[in-house]
Amino acid sequence: MAGSRSWIGGVFHRLSNKRSDKFIEYPLTPIQVQRLQKLQKRIRIPFDETRPDHQEALRELWHIAFPNVALKGLVSEQWKEMGWQGPNPSTDFRACGFISLENLLFYGRTYPASFRRLLLKQDGTRATWEYPFAVAGINVSFMLIQMLDLFSEKPSNLPGLNFLKLLGEDEQAFDVLYCIAFEMVDAQWLAMHASYMEFNKVLQATGSQLERDLCLDSVRRIQDLPAYNLLYQ
């Protein structure tokens, strides 16, 4: 399903990514610092359609999504079936870089049943004009990076700092959080009886809920997030 280029990267600027001086002096453990820096390196890698490893990652994503359908090429109208905006997915990755492809791959490898439920829109009563799965996934990556203030040397908001605690416990916390957030987007989509043009509102509502969840005292591991069980429906 094709859509406006403004769909990507322009829908998440109004949540609580507000800087607060009271969090700046919050001390990080060495493992938190190490894992944050590693994650920040990942989010700065652009997608490069000329790199063989990036090409292979795209091919793997196709195979995970449609294991019984041969891919005709890295530029093909087939990609629209996964929810890219055109025949060349590399143009969509410009908004968020290689990590957004890594996130989709992690989702498909780690939670294949959940991945396919969202890809194939198997839950609930769906809209006539559904959100495009792949492009929505890129927006989820972008949302999390902004919400957690990951481009800063150190997050200066409470959700971001609480996330670092989870990252200190689990090096894959960002990737798992991505999968949880994508499930939350789909659940919110269904709850709001949303259609294509309302995706921005769905994403913002999901981000607000996720911020609240990250601030719960009971959340000490990524598995403690209330929406974690959505991955195993």
Side-chain angles (χ1 to χ4, degrees):
M1 183 187 300
S4 167
R5 295 289 168 192
S6 64
W7 234 73
I8 303 178
V11 299
F12 195 82
H13 296 287
R14 290 184 289 277
L15 298 189
S16 74
N17 194 23
K18 303 182 183 75
R19 303 186 65 84
S20 176
D21 291 340
K22 69 179 180 178
F23 298 125
I24 291 177
E25 299 304 320
Y26 185 91
L28 303 182
T29 66
I31 192 67
Q32 289 172 344
V33 172
Q34 178 187 30
R35 291 178 176 177
L36 173 60
Q37 290 175 347
K38 184 176 179 179
L39 179 57
Q40 288 173 330
K41 286 181 180 179
R42 288 176 61 196
I43 66 178
R44 291 187 174 96
I45 298 174
F47 180 82
D48 184 348
E49 61 185 312
T50 68
R51 283 182 55 167
D53 56 333
H54 289 198
Q55 294 172 1
E56 185 56 36
L58 259 183
R59 292 189 185 96
E60 183 184 354
L61 180 63
W62 177 268
H63 180 71
I64 290 173
F66 304 111
N68 299 316
V69 180
L71 178 64
K72 296 177 181 177
L74 293 179
V75 178
S76 168
E77 293 294 322
Q78 287 176 290
W79 288 106
K80 295 180 182 179
E81 296 300 315
M82 196 188 299
W84 300 102
Q85 294 187 101
N88 186 357
S90 66
T91 61
D92 291 337
F93 285 120
R94 291 171 187 164
C96 199
F98 186 59
I99 195 170
S100 53
L101 176 52
E102 289 183 314
N103 290 154
L104 284 166
L105 281 172
F106 180 89
Y107 192 13
R109 293 167 180 158
T110 311
Y111 306 104
S114 172
F115 178 91
R116 292 192 64 78
R117 275 193 290 103
L118 269 59
L119 170 67
L120 302 177
K121 306 296 193 298
Q122 292 176 336
D123 284 349
T125 302
R126 312 303 308 201
T128 301
W129 199 8
E130 277 287 327
Y131 68 83
F133 173 82
V135 176
I138 292 179
N139 274 288
V140 172
S141 297
F142 183 84
M143 173 188 76
L144 291 177
I145 291 168
Q146 296 294 314
M147 183 180 75
L148 302 175
D149 196 19
L150 293 179
F151 279 117
S152 298
E153 181 179 354
K154 172 185 172 183
S156 57
N157 60 45
L158 188 56
L161 288 170
N162 285 343
F163 166 73
L164 291 187
K165 297 177 185 178
L166 306 183
L167 189 63
E169 296 295 324
D170 184 349
E171 190 170 12
Q172 294 183 318
F174 182 80
D175 302 272
V176 177
L177 184 62
Y178 169 86
C179 302
I180 295 170
F182 210 152
E183 275 278 12
M184 291 174 69
V185 165
D186 194 69
Q188 188 69 46
W189 175 271
L190 292 172
M192 292 175 62
H193 305 287
S195 189
Y196 183 85
M197 298 304 293
E198 298 169 297
F199 183 81
N200 293 9
K201 294 180 181 178
V202 171
L203 195 66
Q204 290 158 15
T206 301
S208 295
Q209 182 61 56
L210 191 54
E211 285 184 328
R212 291 192 293 270
D213 290 352
L214 283 167
C215 293
L216 293 172
D217 291 337
S218 59
V219 175
R220 299 184 179 182
R221 305 172 305 146
I222 194 72
Q223 294 85 356
D224 294 332
L225 283 167
Y228 178 75
N229 289 335
L230 290 176
L231 295 169
Y232 296 98
Q233 289 187 119

